[in-house]
Amino acid sequence: MYSSNRLYSKILLAATATLMCFSCGKDKFHIEGSITEAEDSVLYLEHMSLDGPVAIDSVKLSKDGAFSFSDEGVEAPEFYRLRIAGSIINVSIDSTETVSIKASYPTMQTGYEVRGSESCLKIKELALLQQQLLGQAITISENNTLGMKQTEDSIKALTERYKDHVRRNYIFKEPHKAYAYFALFQTLGNQLIFNPRESEMDIRSFAAVATAWDTYHPGALRGENLHNIAIEGLKVLRHNQLKQYGPAVDVSKIEEVTIIDVPLLDNKGKRRSLTEFKGKVVLLDFHVFSAPKSTERIMMLRELYNKYHQRGLEIYQVGLDSDEHFWKTQTAALPWVNVYDPSGAESQYLMRYNVAQLPTFFLIDRTNTLYKRDAQIKDIDKEIESLL
C-alpha cells in the first residue's frame, strides 16, 4: 500500500505528465537555424502585428549562433522578424510550418539563406529588390549634375518601374500569398512605395490582395485592414482630384464620396447612380444573364428583395451581357434597378471594384459606404439585417 506522500507524488507526476502532453499536442510553428558572427548578441523574435512589432521570445547567441523559436500556429498568414539591434530578417508563417534560416550577422539582412517556405523565399527576393531600389535612388540623389526637378522625376520613374515589376510578378500573380501582402508595405526611405492615397493603380493593388484574402483567408484581420486602406485611399484620392478644379469649386461644399459610383442607363433608358440611394442599404450585383445558373441567382435576389425592400433594401444590378436586347428582355419584369454596361467584360467598373469572377455582389450601407463583398459574407440575411 502506498503512503499518503507517495500517493500524492504519483498523482502530481501524472497530472504534470498530462499537462505536458496537452502542451505538446498544441500545433506550433518553428523558426530555427543559426546566425554566426554574433556571439553574445541578443536575437529577438518579434510578431509584426497591425499595431507594430511585439516581442515573442529572445535568446543570447553562442559562438555557433544556433537558435530555435516556436509559437502557436496561425490560421492565416502572419508576419514575424528576427532582429539583432537594427538588422532584421522578415519571415512569414502560414499554419504550423518550420522555417530554417542561416546567416552571418554583418550581412544578415540581405545575405541569409532560407528553407521551408516559398513565401519567405519570395520575401527575401523582395527585400533584395528593395535594397537595389534604395541604392539606385541614392545614386540619383547624389548626382550633382541633376537639378531638383530632374532628381525627383528620375526617382519617380525608377519607382514606377519597380512598382510595375513587383505588381506583375508578385502582387497580381498570387495575391493570396503572404509575400504579395508583404510587397504592399515596402518603403523607400520612410515613404510607402505603394501608396493608395496617391495612385488609383496602388488602390487596385491593395484591393487585389484584399479580395484574394477574402477567399483564401476569410475573416482574417489583415484582409479587413487591406479593404479599409483601399477604401480610405480612394476617399483621399477623390478629394485631392476635386481640389484640382481650383477656386471655381468649393470643395468644402462637395459631399464626400464614399463609394465608387456606377452611373449607367437602366432598362427604361434613365440614367441611374449608386449615390442616389444614400439612406438605403444597397446590394450591388455584377451579373451576366446569359451565364449558367443565372436563373437561380435571380430567384435568390428576388427572395431577398421581397423580404427586405420595404425595410430599406435596394438592389442595383449591373448587366454585362454582350447582347443588350437579350439583357432588356431578361430584366423587363424585375422590380429592382437594372443598368447596362455595354463594355461587358472590359467594364471599367469591374476593374475599379476588383471583380475577378462573375457574378459578384457587394453590400453598401445606408451612408453609401462600401461594407462587404460576397467573399466576406457567410450569412447574407444576417448581414442585411445588421445594416437595416
Side-chain angles (χ1 to χ4, degrees):
M1 183 177 292
Y2 288 106
S3 68
S4 60
N5 286 340
R6 289 181 65 194
L7 180 60
Y8 175 77
S9 297
K10 188 174 181 66
I11 292 172
L12 181 61
L13 183 61
T16 302
T18 301
L19 287 172
M20 289 176 65
C21 288
F22 178 76
S23 176
C24 291
K26 287 187 176 181
D27 294 330
K28 294 188 174 185
F29 69 82
H30 302 271
I31 303 174
E32 58 190 26
S34 63
I35 299 179
T36 58
E37 306 297 326
E39 186 177 1
D40 294 331
S41 297
V42 178
L43 175 66
Y44 295 91
L45 172 66
E46 296 172 331
H47 175 216
M48 300 306 294
S49 74
L50 291 175
D51 297 319
V54 177
I56 301 296
D57 203 351
S58 65
V59 63
K60 188 175 183 179
L61 297 175
S62 59
K63 186 175 181 178
D64 65 4
F67 67 89
S68 180
F69 295 121
S70 64
D71 202 7
E72 289 188 16
V74 294
E75 294 182 359
E78 274 298 333
F79 298 87
Y80 299 81
R81 70 182 186 185
L82 297 172
R83 181 176 65 83
I84 298 178
S87 296
I88 63 173
I89 295 174
N90 290 296
V91 180
S92 69
I93 293 294
D94 189 357
S95 187
T96 57
E97 62 192 337
T98 296
V99 179
S100 299
I101 290 174
K102 290 185 178 181
S104 178
Y105 173 51
T107 58
M108 64 179 278
Q109 193 150 318
T110 55
Y112 65 93
E113 297 178 8
V114 59
R115 293 181 180 179
S117 169
E118 179 195 5
S119 280
C120 286
L121 282 169
K122 295 291 187 180
I123 285 173
K124 179 186 176 182
E125 290 178 12
L126 286 163
L128 292 174
L129 287 171
Q130 181 185 19
Q131 285 295 112
Q132 185 180 27
L133 174 66
L134 178 61
Q136 292 172 334
I138 290 173
T139 299
I140 292 173
S141 65
E142 292 178 346
N143 187 341
N144 295 328
T145 66
L146 298 177
M148 183 178 296
K149 182 69 164 57
Q150 287 178 303
T151 299
E152 291 178 355
D153 289 346
S154 296
I155 292 177
K156 182 178 180 180
L158 176 71
T159 305
E160 287 302 319
R161 288 195 296 272
Y162 177 88
K163 288 164 66 174
D164 180 64
H165 174 74
V166 171
R167 190 181 290 117
R168 286 185 292 105
N169 295 287
Y170 294 88
I171 296 175
F172 289 163
K173 187 174 182 179
E174 292 185 299
H176 62 288
K177 293 294 184 70
Y179 65 81
Y181 183 104
F182 176 84
L184 294 174
F185 295 96
Q186 287 190 296
T187 59
L188 182 60
N190 59 357
Q191 300 293 321
L192 279 173
I193 295 173
F194 291 89
N195 190 342
R197 290 171 169 261
E198 296 180 356
S199 164
E200 189 158 343
M201 184 57 91
D202 289 355
I203 293 173
R204 285 188 62 199
S205 299
F206 273 82
V209 179
T211 302
W213 279 52
D214 288 342
T215 302
Y216 288 87
H217 316 294
L221 288 178
R222 291 188 182 274
E224 296 286 348
N225 186 52
L226 289 176
H227 277 295
N228 292 336
I229 291 172
I231 292 170
E232 182 61 30
L234 185 63
K235 291 180 185 178
V236 173
L237 193 62
R238 293 288 180 264
H239 182 76
N240 291 339
Q241 288 172 343
L242 286 173
K243 284 185 176 180
Q244 294 177 7
Y245 287 102
V249 175
D250 185 351
V251 177
S252 66
K253 293 182 180 179
I254 298 176
E255 188 174 2
E256 183 181 41
V257 177
T258 56
I259 195 71
I260 302 171
D261 203 5
V262 185
L264 292 167
L265 297 179
D266 68 11
N267 50 6
K268 298 178 179 62
K270 180 181 179 181
R271 183 166 293 278
R272 308 302 296 267
S273 174
L274 278 174
T275 55
E276 70 184 78
F277 296 103
K278 187 171 184 179
K280 292 181 178 289
V281 173
V282 180
L283 189 155
L284 169 63
D285 186 56
F286 291 94
H287 188 79
V288 176
F289 285 84
S290 58
K293 298 187 178 180
S294 170
T295 301
E296 289 91 330
R297 185 174 182 84
I298 294 302
M299 290 176 64
M300 182 272 288
L301 292 177
R302 186 181 285 276
E303 183 177 339
L304 291 174
Y305 186 86
N306 291 341
K307 189 174 182 180
Y308 298 112
H309 178 64
Q310 293 300 320
R311 295 173 55 190
L313 174 71
E314 188 56 77
I315 295 177
Y316 193 92
Q317 191 165 41
V318 182
L320 298 157
D321 291 85
S322 58
D323 186 336
E324 184 175 359
H325 178 73
F326 174 80
W327 166 78
K328 281 187 177 180
T329 302
Q330 294 297 307
T331 61
L334 297 179
W336 54 80
V337 178
N338 272 281
V339 297
Y340 181 72
D341 190 339
S343 300
E346 301 300 318
S347 170
Q348 61 172 310
Y349 303 112
L350 293 180
M351 179 189 73
R352 292 186 177 184
Y353 275 90
N354 195 39
V355 175
Q357 60 183 18
L358 294 171
T360 291
F361 74 80
F362 299 80
L363 281 180
I364 299 166
D365 68 19
R366 290 184 183 273
T367 69
N368 219 209
T369 300
L370 192 65
Y371 174 64
K372 286 183 179 180
R373 66 188 299 149
D374 48 9
Q376 297 174 282
I377 297 172
K378 295 181 178 179
D379 187 332
I380 182 64
D381 287 271
K382 183 178 180 181
E383 297 287 2
I384 291 175
E385 288 277 3
S386 71
L387 296 176
L388 291 174

